[in-house]
Amino acid sequence: SKSPSPRQNMPVRYFIMKSSSLQNIEISQQKGIWSTTPSNERKLNGAFWESSMVYLIFSVQGSRHFQGFARMGSSIGFEKSQDWGSAGFGGVFKVEWIRKESIPFQFAHHLLNPWNDNKKVQ
């Protein structure tokens, strides 16, 4: 019999990832990678190592929609990608897309974030 995963009884974490463009999300969906700002890297890496699973929910700024969600597939390394044209991004990490669909924020207005003054999740 297999021994249980060492992270099996650890919490699941969720993050909303705001993208500056739909093109970045399309690149991510095609290549299975993502990159974020260095200020987000510490939070995501910590969650990756201290959680059983990390889910990323993607939204393009100003779109009023979620564009889908993915599972974080690796920690964030130092390797950068030229796929994102904008400077200011950190290392690349793997993501496994679970759902690729545009969903209006209004469908999630019943979800409140207790770590953000119970504001709507969007």
Side-chain angles (χ1 to χ4, degrees):
S1 75
K2 287 185 168 182
S3 61
S5 165
R7 299 185 336 185
Q8 181 176 331
N9 294 322
M10 299 178 88
V12 174
R13 298 285 305 272
Y14 300 87
F15 292 90
I16 296 195
M17 306 301 293
K18 291 289 190 177
S19 176
S20 59
S21 76
L22 184 59
Q23 181 181 6
N24 289 351
I25 290 183
E26 290 169 348
I27 290 167
S28 176
Q29 290 174 344
Q30 292 167 4
K31 297 191 173 192
I33 59 172
W34 188 252
S35 185
T36 189
T37 60
S39 62
N40 288 334
E41 287 184 343
R42 188 175 331 120
K43 291 178 203 170
L44 290 174
N45 268 342
F48 182 78
W49 291 114
E50 297 168 4
S51 306
S52 61
M53 197 74 59
V54 177
Y55 291 102
L56 307 174
I57 304 160
F58 292 87
S59 175
V60 175
Q61 291 175 346
S63 71
R64 297 181 170 251
H65 284 73
F66 296 111
Q67 280 71 37
F69 65 98
R71 181 176 29 245
M72 194 171 172
S74 72
S75 62
I76 303 168
F78 296 105
E79 180 184 336
K80 296 189 181 219
S81 173
Q82 299 302 319
D83 291 313
W84 281 265
S86 174
F89 286 109
V92 173
F93 60 99
K94 293 179 184 176
V95 293
E96 302 161 18
W97 280 85
I98 298 166
R99 184 93 184 231
K100 304 172 188 177
E101 185 175 344
S102 184
I103 302 167
F105 285 164
Q106 67 188 15
F107 291 169
H109 277 177
H110 64 287
L111 299 175
L112 303 176
N113 184 347
W115 295 281
N116 190 19
D117 298 325
N118 281 324
K119 291 180 182 174
K120 294 176 185 175
V121 174
Q122 57 186 35

